[in-house]
Amino acid sequence: MPAREKLIVALDLPDAAAAVRLAERLKGHAGLFKVGSELFAAEGPVLARYLAGSGERVFLDLKFHDIPNTVRAAAREAAGIGVAMFDVHALGGRKMMEAALEGAREGGGKARPLVLAVTVLTSLASADLDELGVAGTTEDAGVRMAKLAQSAGLDGVIASAREARAIRRACGPRFLIVTPGIRPAGAPSHDQSRTMTPRDAVAAGADYLVVGRSITAAPDPAAAAEAIVKEMEAAGSPRETTA
Ligand code: C5P
């Protein structure tokens, strides 16, 4: 799969009109558009449905975390929108992840969306895990949750690129690793504390890269996306996966 197909642009914008304008400028320059909680809380499923209906691949990033029955129903609705992937928190446990997969099958049929698990949020450090009573470092916990997600049948994880190598080692070549917190060399890190360049993230084993402000806040978003694709290509041929 070409590197461009593995670039996910986070449409973190306050309203659907602005998001549609940006998606139109980026058409053909990225593989997927990510609709997250901000846009979903403001506009509901309208934008995701519109983008999916116009042939775009959409990552619905709502990070479901609830009892299995509720997550199953939410997953069914997400799949019904026609998104290409959505996510849940691994901390919801095995039964909840299995329920998410069932919901995805019910709502999406043969073309079910990919179901991914958030391992450890990139905003958390090992000290935060300690405070929460979660054993080990962020990498230990990230690998543990990735293995659990894999054994529950999920397609992959959202994780820090810094944990990608260890997750790849533990979960093998076909398990998808999606990494946010990406910054092109020399770009401002904003509020992200543990960033990686596109080239290093791909080299570490990431399949998909989530990029927000480095593209959305650029004067020419399409050019910024292309520059990131070039950096991804510089890491060598992107990994071939089942996706
Ligand atoms: O602007 P930036 O590139 O930092 O955007 C990253 C995107 O990835 C945001 O939409 C953010 O919500 C999301 N994300 C993240 N860290 C995670 C999971 C998702 O930054 N662990």
Side-chain angles (χ1 to χ4, degrees):
M1 192 184 284
R4 186 175 289 103
E5 298 299 311
K6 305 216 160 199
L7 174 61
I8 303 176
V9 178
L11 296 177
D12 294 329
L13 296 164
D15 66 85
V20 166
R21 275 198 301 276
L22 182 64
E24 271 161 9
R25 291 182 74 177
L26 286 168
K27 212 173 170 56
H29 298 285
L32 291 96
F33 292 114
K34 183 171 89 67
V35 174
S37 344
E38 180 186 3
L39 207 45
F40 201 86
E43 304 276 4
V46 175
L47 180 72
R49 195 171 279 134
Y50 170 78
L51 291 172
S54 53
E56 298 297 338
R57 300 187 76 213
V58 176
F59 170 20
L60 189 65
D61 178 25
L62 296 180
K63 301 185 180 68
F64 297 137
H65 188 175
D66 211 315
I67 57 171
N69 191 53
T70 302
V71 168
R72 179 183 182 142
R76 193 189 304 130
E77 295 302 324
I81 293 173
V83 302
M85 58 172 79
F86 71 88
D87 55 359
V88 302
H89 272 286
L91 275 172
R94 178 191 298 280
K95 286 201 178 69
M96 190 208 75
M97 288 192 274
E98 289 171 350
L101 199 57
E102 284 164 19
R105 288 200 185 102
E106 287 163 11
K110 282 208 182 97
R112 77 157 174 86
L114 297 168
V115 186
L116 306 170
V118 176
T119 55
V120 179
L121 290 170
T122 48
S123 52
L124 295 177
S126 297
D128 298 307
L129 294 188
D130 203 31
E131 195 173 46
L132 287 165
V134 174
T137 61
T138 50
E139 182 169 302
D140 298 334
V143 169
R144 201 164 58 233
M145 288 185 223
K147 284 164 81 175
L148 178 63
Q150 188 175 37
S151 82
L154 265 58
D155 301 293
V157 286
I158 321 286
S160 162
R162 289 166 189 256
E163 279 135 35
R165 256 179 236 286
I167 292 173
R168 179 63 64 214
R169 256 197 312 276
C171 298
R174 297 175 81 83
F175 195 59
L176 295 174
I177 303 177
V178 178
T179 60
I182 300 298
R183 289 293 176 278
S189 61
H190 306 109
D191 58 346
Q192 297 279 18
S193 52
R194 301 190 305 137
T195 62
M196 235 194 211
T197 65
R199 180 185 179 140
D200 290 347
V202 172
D207 295 293
Y208 289 92
L209 272 49
V210 177
V211 182
R213 288 160 289 184
S214 303
I215 292 176
T216 58
D220 183 345
E226 287 305 321
I228 287 174
V229 168
K230 285 238 153 43
E231 279 199 51
M232 290 165 78
E233 284 166 346
S237 71
R239 288 169 23 75
E240 287 306 322
T241 64
T242 51

